[in-house]
Every structure is written in C-alpha cells, then in structure tokens.
Amino acid sequence: MDSRDESKEAAQLQLTEHLANLAGISIGAEVLDIGCGFGASTLYLAREYKARATGITISPVQVQMAQQAAAAASLDARFLLMDAEALRFTQQFDLLWSVESISHYHDRRKFFANAAQFLKPGGVFALTDWFKLAGLSPAQTRKFIRPIEQGMFIELESMDDYESHLVGGGLEIIHRQDLTRQCAKSWDIALNIIRDNSSGPLLQNWEDTLSPI
C-alpha cells in the first residue's frame, strides 16, 4: 500500500494481507466473505490460512468463475448466490470478512445487526470500505460527494457512521484505522470514472474495523 508505482493487483493483495494480519485469523478458521466478487480474498484466506471459506455474491457469473478458480487451485472454498442484506445460514463463523462492498448496501445498520448473528462468540468482523470525510458542508457534499455516489452507484457514509452501526449491532470496535494516505492512489483510478477529480481530499479510503462479540 505504500509504493507509488505498484500495480493495482499488488496494492489489493497488500490490503488483503494487512486486514488478515489485523484479524488474527487462526489456521482452519470458518470464514464468510460477504460480497466476495470473483473470490480473490476468499481463495487467499483458504490458501494462506487453510480456512474453510464461504463467499457470497449476487452475481451468478462471479459465483461460477470463483467456483472454477477454487476447483483449479484445489482449495476448500465454496461460493453461493446470496444477498448480503438477507444472509441465511444454519451455522456461525469465526470470521466475517468484507472488502469494499458494504457501501453498496441499502440499510447498513440492519445489515450489521443481521450479520452479527452469524459470528461465533469471540468471532471477528474484519472490513474495509470507502468513506466520506465527516463534517462536510451541504455545498461540499453536493459538489464533490454526490457525483461520486451517482457515478459509482454507492452511498458513502463516514467512519463514525459505521462505528455506530457496528456497536448498535452488538459488536465492539477493537481496531480502527484510516488508510487514506496509503490508499490515495486508488482514487486516481476511481475518480477517472466520474467527471470531477478534485474531490479526493474530501474522501477517506478504507477503514479496518475488527469487532468481536
């Protein structure tokens, strides 16, 4: 996350490694990767920690491709078509894991409260996401934040908002980190998608929040 000339793939791997280290994952842990995409993080945890990993996504294409990747690598990982805002499992997990997906959810407070039910006692919820800077004026929000939200189909909240949701869901914050400086390069990519790239200073990149029951 610190190199200026690294590839986006290398940066993503470093972010995954950083979050995994903070989460203190034990070998053989049961892991739920919420919003797993094509399964890169799920497969990393299955490979590096021998985790019994489950990834969920709302995309059938992502499920199929992730399943193929897991089979090719002979990893203990399964992928399910499931809405993160309507989790349904008969088991609990040692680790809930989410990388850059929660900002897309409609009701984050409800999501965290529901997800907490699937953590074992002493389990950990490890996440990263994008946040807007707290205390922005209405004019700043209209000029800088709204175009990003509309262009990327997300609704940004602040770190404090997420902390409130997590605590309201019965979880305790044991680590919170602002990685804006380390991840600032990512905004060069994201802001090319939208019209105005002057909003970077008003945004925050990725908080790592670990929340045990």
Side-chain angles (χ1 to χ4, degrees):
M1 291 179 289
D2 294 321
S3 175
R4 291 181 177 274
D5 58 356
E6 68 192 358
S7 68
K8 64 181 184 300
E9 291 81 11
Q12 188 67 33
L13 176 59
Q14 288 184 51
L15 181 65
T16 300
E17 292 173 339
H18 179 69
L19 187 60
N21 288 335
L22 289 174
I25 306 171
S26 59
I27 299 299
E30 292 187 296
V31 176
L32 176 61
D33 186 353
I34 302 171
C36 66
F38 291 100
S41 290
T42 318
L43 298 177
Y44 171 86
L45 297 173
R47 181 178 64 252
E48 299 298 324
Y49 295 91
K50 311 302 181 192
R52 297 187 296 276
T54 300
I56 66 163
T57 173
I58 59 172
S59 167
V61 173
Q62 289 179 339
V63 169
Q64 181 181 10
M65 294 185 68
Q67 288 174 335
Q68 292 172 348
S74 299
L75 292 173
D76 186 7
R78 62 172 179 157
F79 296 91
L80 305 174
L81 190 65
M82 187 180 297
D83 185 348
E85 294 189 83
L87 297 175
R88 53 188 189 280
F89 290 97
T90 58
Q91 68 180 102
Q92 292 181 311
F93 298 86
D94 300 299
L95 173 68
L96 301 184
W97 174 279
S98 181
V99 174
E100 302 165 33
S101 66
I102 297 174
S103 56
H104 292 274
Y105 303 165
H106 295 99
D107 188 337
R108 268 148 267 178
R109 185 177 297 277
K110 182 179 179 181
F111 161 73
F112 283 120
N114 182 50
Q117 302 177 63
F118 300 101
L119 262 183
K120 293 180 181 179
V124 170
F125 194 151
L127 69 92
T128 70
D129 216 338
W130 290 1
F131 302 87
K132 64 182 178 182
L133 192 67
L136 298 179
S137 69
Q140 289 173 319
T141 299
R142 285 193 302 272
K143 182 175 181 180
F144 299 110
I145 302 302
R146 289 290 178 261
I148 292 172
E149 294 179 328
Q150 293 169 2
M152 299 181 71
F153 304 104
I154 60 176
E155 182 179 348
L156 294 170
E157 291 189 314
S158 70
M159 288 187 179
D160 289 340
D161 290 329
Y162 271 44
E163 181 165 330
S164 175
H165 299 333
L166 286 160
V167 172
L171 305 176
E172 175 187 4
I173 308 299
I174 60 172
H175 185 87
R176 168 174 161 164
Q177 184 177 4
D178 180 355
L179 296 175
T180 303
R181 182 183 61 80
Q182 294 93 328
C183 299
K185 183 180 176 182
S186 65
W187 280 107
D188 293 336
I189 299 171
L191 293 174
N192 284 333
I193 301 173
I194 59 176
R195 293 175 296 178
D196 188 350
N197 68 357
S198 62
S199 53
L202 303 181
L203 294 156
Q204 291 178 300
N205 288 77
W206 294 306
E207 168 198 21
D208 295 346
T209 304
L210 313 183
S211 310
I213 294 294

